[in-house]
Amino acid sequence: MTTEVAVVGLGKMGVALAERLLAAGHNVRVWNRSPGRADHLVSRGAIAVETLADAARADILISSVLDDTALASLHGTDGLLAGPHRPQVWIDCTTVSPSAAIAAASAAAASGVAFVSAPVSGNPDVVRSGSAIFALSGDDPDAVARCAEILQDVGRASYVVGTGAAAAMVKLCTNAVLGITMQALAEIAVLGERAGVDRGGLMAFINDSAIGSPFTRYKTNAVASLDLFPTFSPEGMRKDLRLAVDAGRALNVPAPLISAVEVEFSRLVASGLGSGLDFASLILQVARDAGVELHSSTMPVPA
Ligand SMILES: NC(=O)c1ccc[n+]([C@@H]2O[C@H](COP(=O)([O-])OP(=O)(O)OC[C@H]3O[C@@H](n4cnc5c(N)ncnc54)[C@H](OP(=O)(O)O)[C@@H]3O)[C@@H](O)[C@H]2O)c1
């Protein structure tokens, strides 16, 4: 069924979400804080709106912005809850802290809007291919069901993981493992390189071993061929690891690995080495620290 949907936040992820909704035949309104991000979506049939109040005229509003601060700005003064029209359901796909999700849910509830926390797992290309998955949580079961229904047109599966901000926590836990795995891949690739092992051959073996995964396969080009075109930024991963470290502190759960990898991403951001690159640029940092020069893989890079 065609629904009027608004997509708020046209970064790498928001654009991919909007493309899927347009391809499924929905009427899609799009809004971004900075101008110039909607043109490509408009050429595919989206309607660009200038204010959040205009975006809020849609039945369902899906937001994908950077972080806690950005999410808070969506429900602040002049935000999407401030105008005369409000969506029935607000679905937020941003990766945020549980407290930011709860604050957004409370503001929404006070305005008669049902809020569903729906962080996404999968980079924008994964979303484009229809393979992304979503973790869902919220306090209104009907809204959660409606969210799952519309996200069928976007991703491969939705998992209802609890009420309140449970989905935000599930997403932080998942991304902590991604960050740790990326650091591990960077370390072993540089170790192999120093030992004279071709990174393409190393990744081919890993991908076919018990620890091979969709993630190791996605990152094979990055590790073997240094294809570091950004799918997710070092800043974004640092933000998620910091949120996981904060959650560990607040809940009295020591998390030494997450803390250590947060430091590595902080170094990557502070040095500028990962600027404008994918978070897989960690490999450049590990190589620099080790004084290893990364040579091009001479083996066919495995898919
Ligand atoms: N990319 C991935 O692989 C991936 C995967 C899963 C989840 N996520 C999550 O999805 C979210 C978006 O990621 P992304 O990769 O799309 O990031 P991005 O490309 O950096 O886009 C960030 C978006 O947030 C907006 N924004 C930033 N601060 C804002 C503020 N104060 N008020 C309003 N809008 C603001 C930006 O608007 P401007 O254009 O005005 O700056 C832009 O539209 C993040 O929470 C990320 O952790 C990303």
Side-chain angles (χ1 to χ4, degrees):
M1 202 173 76
T2 301
T3 307
E4 176 122 41
V5 190
V7 177
V8 160
L10 302 177
K12 294 181 279 300
M13 183 54 77
V15 166
L17 295 171
E19 284 177 14
R20 292 287 301 172
L21 291 161
L22 285 165
H26 296 292
N27 298 321
V28 180
R29 291 169 171 249
V30 291
W31 176 89
N32 194 59
R33 178 184 60 170
S34 310
R37 303 290 283 263
D39 300 353
H40 141 85
L41 294 167
V42 169
S43 72
R44 293 184 176 209
I47 298 168
V49 296
E50 292 198 352
T51 63
L52 279 169
D54 270 344
R57 288 170 179 269
D59 304 326
I60 293 189
L61 186 144
I62 299 179
S63 51
S64 173
V65 288
L66 187 62
D67 57 9
D68 285 17
T69 306
L71 178 61
S73 77
L74 297 184
H75 59 83
T77 317
D78 296 332
L80 61 91
L81 302 170
H85 301 281
R86 286 157 198 178
Q88 290 151 19
V89 183
W90 174 11
I91 299 168
D92 181 55
C93 296
T94 312
T95 304
V96 286
S97 65
S99 58
I102 286 168
S106 303
S111 300
V113 175
F115 181 88
V116 183
S117 187
V120 52
S121 180
N123 68 37
D125 286 340
V126 173
V127 173
R128 284 190 181 91
S129 73
S131 303
I133 60 170
F134 295 86
L136 309 188
S137 64
D139 292 333
D140 178 338
D142 291 339
V144 173
R146 200 147 173 225
C147 171
E149 188 183 27
I150 192 118
L151 292 179
Q152 277 178 1
D153 289 335
V154 179
R156 176 166 60 78
S158 289
Y159 293 85
V160 180
V161 295
T163 56
M169 200 62 227
V170 166
K171 173 64 185 173
L172 293 186
C173 292
T174 307
N175 264 27
V177 178
L178 278 190
I180 290 167
T181 305
M182 194 62 249
Q183 174 71 18
L185 287 177
E187 288 181 22
I188 54 103
V190 172
L191 179 62
E193 181 98 17
R194 170 148 285 161
V197 172
D198 185 279
R199 297 195 307 283
L202 175 65
M203 289 307 293
F205 189 79
I206 285 178
N207 285 340
D208 202 25
S209 75
I211 54 145
S213 68
F215 182 69
T216 64
R217 289 187 277 278
Y218 294 147
K219 290 302 174 201
T220 290
N221 259 323
V223 173
S225 308
L226 299 183
D227 173 2
L228 299 174
F229 184 80
T231 61
F232 188 44
S233 65
E235 291 85 352
M237 181 54 87
R238 178 184 64 169
K239 175 254 305 180
D240 294 352
L241 291 167
R242 283 186 174 173
L243 292 177
V245 168
D246 289 347
R249 288 201 182 117
L251 298 168
N252 197 24
V253 175
L257 267 182
I258 302 173
S259 300
V261 177
E262 186 277 325
V263 170
E264 294 310 304
F265 276 97
S266 290
R267 292 177 58 225
L268 184 65
V269 171
S271 69
L273 195 59
S275 177
L277 300 177
D278 191 69
F279 73 105
S281 54
L282 263 184
I283 190 171
L284 304 179
Q285 175 165 281
V286 175
R288 189 189 59 183
D289 289 351
V292 165
E293 190 183 340
L294 295 170
H295 299 286
S296 299
S297 170
T298 53
M299 296 195 175
V301 174

